[in-house]
Amino acid sequence: MKSNVLKKQLTLWTMLVALVSGSVAFAADSVDLSQSPEVSGTAEGSIVMPKEQSRMALDYVNQPPMIPHSVEGYQVTAKVNTCLKCHGVQSYRTTGAPRISPTHFVDSEGHVSSNVAPRRYFCQSCHVPQADAAPIIGNTFTPAPGYGK
């Protein structure tokens, strides 16, 4: 009896993974990944990223802030993180950049470290360069009350 339930669950998970993978592959086909990070393709054309701009308002609680400057040529590898040269605990005071959040020093098990946690080290996994551009795919998202201003 349990074997049949497990087979059904496995089948459902397999179908879900296939559906999500197909959706991602379909979306990736419509985006030109060869463009530099400074130019973003949209339905209307391309958007040129400014070198620096004021910060956009957040739209919900705990939203990762967007990057208000160019990141062209920034290197983030296992050994080098260019973002931390300005936003790191030691450097933010002299650069005037916002300090990296204390949440970035908590690992997946809840332990606090003096180093950036591995899951928070690759900044552009969550933080993206901002652009005031129309969405490539339409949506009905509205900011949480009191946000987005």
Side-chain angles (χ1 to χ4, degrees):
M1 183 92 167
K2 283 187 178 182
S3 176
N4 287 339
V5 171
L6 289 175
K7 283 181 184 178
K8 286 180 183 179
Q9 287 178 340
L10 180 59
T11 301
L12 286 173
W13 279 109
T14 304
M15 290 171 52
L16 179 63
V17 168
L19 177 65
V20 170
S21 298
S23 299
V24 170
F26 176 76
D29 285 344
S30 64
V31 177
D32 182 3
L33 299 176
S34 66
Q35 295 177 339
S36 79
E38 301 307 300
V39 179
S40 301
T42 67
E44 291 80 33
S46 28
I47 302 296
V48 177
M49 296 295 297
K51 293 281 184 202
E52 191 161 335
Q53 55 191 322
S54 60
R55 293 186 216 164
M56 288 181 151
L58 301 180
D59 290 325
Y60 56 90
V61 177
N62 293 328
Q63 175 186 348
M66 290 186 278
I67 304 168
H69 58 77
S70 171
V71 293
E72 183 176 19
Y74 277 36
Q75 184 179 15
V76 180
T77 68
K79 296 185 187 253
V80 177
N81 184 326
T82 306
C83 303
L84 295 177
K85 289 183 178 180
C86 292
H87 298 278
V89 174
Q90 301 296 325
S91 57
Y92 83 96
R93 290 181 182 101
T94 58
T95 63
R99 180 181 53 86
I100 187 171
S101 169
T103 61
H104 289 57
F105 296 91
V106 181
D107 68 16
S108 58
E109 296 174 359
H111 300 115
V112 179
S113 172
S114 59
N115 296 319
V116 176
R119 68 183 183 146
R120 299 291 190 106
Y121 182 79
F122 294 95
C123 307
Q124 290 189 52
S125 295
C126 298
H127 303 277
V128 296
Q130 66 189 25
D132 188 15
I136 295 173
I137 299 172
N139 67 67
T140 59
F141 175 82
T142 56
Y147 284 83
K149 296 177 181 166

